Amino acid sequence: MVGSVLVGCGSPSGEPAGDKAGSAPRTEGPVTVEPIRAATELTDVNGFEIALKKRPERIVCLFALCDDILTELGIVPTATNSGLLAHPGFLGKEKAGKVAVVPGGFIAPEVEAILSHKPDLVIGLGDTHGKLAPALKGVTAFWPMQPETWEDSVGYLRDTAALTGRTAEGEKAEKAFRTKLAEARRTPSDKTALVVYGSDENFGVATPEGDVAASLFPGIADYPWKSRGVEGSYSLEEILVQDVDVLFVETMSFGDADGKLSEKLAKNPLWSKIPAVRNGDVHEVDPEVWAKGRGTRSLGIVLDEATAALR
């Protein structure tokens, strides 16, 4: 039956699932953060060593976490290939329209176009853009990030704040996010939630081990979905057994695909038996924020939308 099997292999970006747990101990009392010290050299949250000659001023973003972090730090990227900045929670369409776009798309951004912006630093997704490193070597610094959980995203925020000298801004953004997460965890929902992503043929279950937004859910709701590895999958029958109360749907657009994923799944009779579908508690969410953003600003929006739906 069409759509009856949902792949449960992590994030919609194709990132490999990690071993890190998505949840952390519930925070009590006022939230405090460690001071961030400015630096030109550091080992990032995932062990990558980066050294710059000076604070970077011209930064090219090849994936949305970079745009998210820079926005939190009050920096506008020199160029980007993400649509995240157009979201009203970021720069908005008008201001985002003034930021140069790197041609070639997310998978194959053009090296010549990247270098034409004379960047001090290029930030990309490690498992996608790592292949660009040899072409950029000796011309500009390349920083491959590989976020899997919200803790990784906070770590990258702190690292970027240190390298750009925006330490106060980094601490403020981290504290705001941790405070919002702590508030959500103090009153977790007893409802069962599910985040799915896809287009028209292939659908996936976002799991806390490899999807940054999903890594928030174990602390704020019942979220029984675990990574089964690259080849793992959840059948729709298994999902039915869990009695999902609230569904979040990320419609991913590839090629000529159009229309909402939830509307396409509505044609499947098994889908209609899920309690969330039956009760009209299905929420189409912005994939630029939920699936691609990954940073503290995007995750703050995810928390706002998720907690409102889970009440």
Side-chain angles (χ1 to χ4, degrees), residues 9 21 24 28-29 43 64 67 92 97 111 123-124 126 132 137-138 145 150 154 167 175 192 207 222 229 283 307:
C9 55
E28 301 293 345
T43 299
D67 298 277
V111 173
I123 299 176
L132 299 178
K137 188 175 182 180
M145 296 181 175
W150 68 262
V154 169
T167 56
K175 185 174 182 179
T192 300
T207 60
D222 176 26
H283 305 267
T307 53

Side-chain angles (χ1 to χ4, degrees), residues 23-110:
S23 59
R26 191 169 299 165
T27 305
E28 301 293 345
V31 173
T32 59
V33 301
E34 292 293 323
I36 302 173
R37 299 180 183 277
T40 55
E41 299 182 11
L42 56 80
T43 299
D44 74 17
V45 65
N46 273 326
F48 182 82
E49 297 179 0
I50 183 167
L52 304 176
K53 295 179 180 179
K54 63 174 185 176
R55 290 180 183 175
E57 296 179 358
R58 299 180 62 80
I59 302 174
V60 172
C61 292
L62 301 182
F63 83 128
L65 174 59
C66 172
D67 298 277
D68 188 299
I69 291 173
L70 295 191
T71 303
E72 289 283 65
L73 299 179
I75 301 172
V76 177
T78 301
T80 183
N81 64 356
S82 161
L84 183 65
L85 294 177
H87 187 280
F90 287 80
L91 299 184
K93 289 184 179 180
E94 184 177 352
K95 291 183 179 179
K98 298 177 181 178
V99 179
V101 176
V102 178
F106 172 70
I107 300 297
E110 297 179 7

Side-chain angles (χ1 to χ4, degrees), residues 68 150 153 177 212-213 216 294-303:
D68 188 299
W150 68 262
S153 294
F177 168 71
V212 179
L216 298 172
R294 301 182 178 96
T296 50
R297 182 167 293 209
S298 293
L299 296 178
I301 295 171
V302 170
L303 281 172

